[in-house]
Amino acid sequence: MATKHRPEHHAELQVESPMDYAQHEATYNGFLTAVKWSIIGLAVTVAILYFLINP
C-alpha cells in the first residue's frame, strides 16, 4: 500500500539564485552565430562540390 505524503512533511521550497540573463543571451547569440556560419560554410562547400563533381 502506497503511503500518502502530506505537505507538512516536505521541506521548504529552496529558491535558487536568479539567472544571469546577460550571460544567457551572450551564449545564445554565440550559438546562433555558430549555426549561421556553419550553414553558410556548408552551402559554400555544396556549391564548390557541385561544380567540381558535375557529371
Side-chain angles (χ1 to χ4, degrees), residues 46-55:
V46 168
I48 290 171
L49 288 174
Y50 175 78
F51 289 113
L52 289 176
I53 308 175
N54 193 9

Side-chain angles (χ1 to χ4, degrees), residues 18-40:
M19 191 167 84
D20 185 2
Y21 287 102
Q23 183 63 39
H24 172 75
E25 289 181 10
T27 302
Y28 183 67
N29 287 333
F31 171 75
L32 289 180
T33 302
V35 168
K36 176 181 69 174
W37 284 109
S38 296
I39 291 172
I40 291 170

